[in-house]
Amino acid sequence: MAIAGAAAIVPILPGAMARAQAWPAKPVRLVVSAPAGGLTDVFARAYAEHIAQKIGQPVVVENKAGASGIIAAEMVSKSPADGYTLLFTITTTMVMNRVLFKSLPYDPEKDFVYIAFAEAGHLPFVVHRSVPATNIKEFAAWARNNKVSVGSYSLGSYGHIVIAELNKAFGLNMEAVHYRGEAPMWQDFASGALHAASGSYQAAASVLASGTGRAIAVPQKTRMKKLPDVATFLEQGVTAKAFQIRGWAGLLGPAGIPDEIVERLSALMVEAGQTPRIREMLDTFGIDNAASGRQAFARILKDESPVWIDVVKQLGITPQ
């Protein structure tokens, strides 16, 4: 995918070199594409606090939620490439939106430099306690003979992808029930209105702890530390690439930021991910890995963005 090129090293001209050496001479603005208080915002503020301590300037978090991240991304894409305006956003904004919208006011491939990313964590597939299944094959066998409703926390979400991919893999006809966020989805799940759902560990923790639901599979190629006994889809023979890709939250900036600034920010993000505060947050939210730098970001974009785009296209959603 050409998007990996967005993370390529940009030649530094003399003027840019001077700006890089002077940076930071004033506060840095971090535009977050999510509302205050949510998981994306919480991590953005934690990483921003560490960066601010290290660079000796405030990092001011500005929440610009709405339109699937488009508002924030457009704002940052049109900002000067001087390292003073950055973006903290998620996979949807930079990858999936290219399928979900007819056009975007920014170019995910050309308008940004991709600085560092943090995995969004596994999204366990959870069945209601009334469902007689402890693994995916048992669930598929049961679903083949029953009318099954599965929760999706939004149209076009990873939860939606899981339903479509399981239907395709096992020849099922499960119904996707779409919600606006995880909270109402897990509430309906707890009441027995849904047979299964897929979402974040933190949001599903209450139904897992109460025994209302049981996790029977996790995506990605490795098991989840919080659920070490739950096999991955891949381990259970479900080999579609959709079950191996990772969602992420990432730090980006306008294309053209001097490379020295990008490298410094990338290193600071990785360093922040190893601090006790962020390690504790990761454990609380059931996320196994902290931030990785720009080279790792380039690899994930190259390897996994085409898979995201393909599986979202296959959902057949009419672009807005």
Side-chain angles (χ1 to χ4, degrees), residues 301-320:
L301 292 168
K302 179 181 178 182
D303 296 342
E304 300 186 17
S305 292
V307 181
W308 277 111
I309 291 170
D310 182 57
V311 295
V312 175
K313 282 182 178 178
Q314 290 183 39
L315 295 176
I317 299 171
T318 302
Q320 299 180 37

Side-chain angles (χ1 to χ4, degrees), residues 120-122 201-202 224 226 281-288:
H122 297 74
Y201 173 82
Q202 191 264 345
M224 184 178 175
K226 286 284 190 180
M281 289 171 59
L282 291 167
D283 181 69
T284 297
F285 291 107
I287 300 173
D288 291 345

Side-chain angles (χ1 to χ4, degrees), residues 3-311:
I3 192 169
I9 294 176
V10 179
I12 302 178
L13 301 176
M17 179 69 78
R19 291 195 300 273
Q21 291 173 344
W23 185 90
K26 61 181 181 179
V28 175
R29 180 171 65 155
L30 179 61
V31 180
V32 180
S33 66
L39 183 60
T40 302
D41 175 67
V42 167
F43 275 97
R45 291 175 185 274
Y47 281 108
E49 183 176 316
H50 180 81
I51 291 172
Q53 290 173 351
K54 293 297 182 177
I55 66 175
Q57 289 285 352
V59 177
V60 181
V61 174
E62 185 176 335
N63 297 93
K64 290 293 181 182
S68 295
I70 291 174
I71 295 171
E74 181 181 15
M75 175 186 295
V76 174
S77 71
K78 292 176 169 55
S79 298
D82 55 10
Y84 290 103
T85 302
L86 304 172
L87 174 66
F88 199 85
T89 192
I90 61 174
T91 322
T92 299
T93 307
M94 307 311 295
V95 182
M96 297 162 74
N97 276 358
R98 288 185 282 170
V99 179
L100 299 175
F101 292 88
K102 293 177 182 177
S103 63
L104 294 172
Y106 57 90
D107 187 328
E109 298 181 357
K110 298 178 181 178
D111 290 347
F112 298 92
V113 58
Y114 290 73
I115 299 169
F117 85 98
E119 290 183 19
H122 297 74
L123 301 179
F125 186 73
V126 181
V127 298
H128 192 266
R129 61 187 174 194
S130 62
V131 176
T134 59
N135 57 56
I136 284 296
K137 289 184 179 178
E138 289 178 358
F139 175 75
W142 176 82
R144 193 168 289 114
N145 299 307
N146 291 274
K147 185 176 180 180
V148 179
S149 297
V150 183
S152 156
Y153 49 88
S154 70
L155 186 71
S157 66
Y158 188 70
H160 188 184
I161 291 169
V162 167
I163 300 163
E165 290 292 323
L166 286 176
N167 279 342
K168 183 166 61 175
F170 291 99
L172 305 175
N173 191 32
M174 298 185 296
E175 177 188 5
V177 182
H178 302 294
Y179 292 82
R180 291 188 175 183
E182 287 198 65
M185 180 184 77
W186 290 117
Q187 288 171 5
D188 272 8
F189 180 95
S191 73
L194 297 171
H195 298 102
S198 182
S200 67
Y201 173 82
Q202 191 264 345
S206 62
V207 300
L208 293 172
S210 67
T212 305
R214 77 176 72 89
I216 64 169
V218 293
Q220 302 190 27
K221 295 180 180 179
T222 57
R223 293 194 183 192
M224 184 178 175
K225 292 178 182 177
K226 286 284 190 180
L227 299 170
D229 296 328
V230 180
T232 65
F233 285 98
L234 184 61
E235 287 177 301
Q236 297 185 58
V238 186
T239 59
K241 288 185 178 180
F243 295 105
Q244 302 173 39
I245 53 179
R246 293 162 287 180
W248 47 260
L251 180 68
L252 293 76
I257 293 177
D259 195 62
E260 288 186 2
I261 297 176
V262 174
E263 288 291 348
R264 188 175 180 192
L265 285 167
S266 176
L268 287 173
M269 284 287 289
V270 174
E271 180 182 286
Q274 301 307 313
T275 60
R277 180 189 178 192
I278 291 182
R279 297 303 301 181
E280 183 178 349
M281 289 171 59
L282 291 167
D283 181 69
T284 297
F285 291 107
I287 300 173
D288 291 345
N289 299 306
S292 296
R294 65 184 305 199
Q295 288 79 16
F297 208 168
R299 287 194 297 272
I300 190 175
L301 292 168
K302 179 181 178 182
D303 296 342
E304 300 186 17
S305 292
V307 181
W308 277 111
I309 291 170
D310 182 57
V311 295

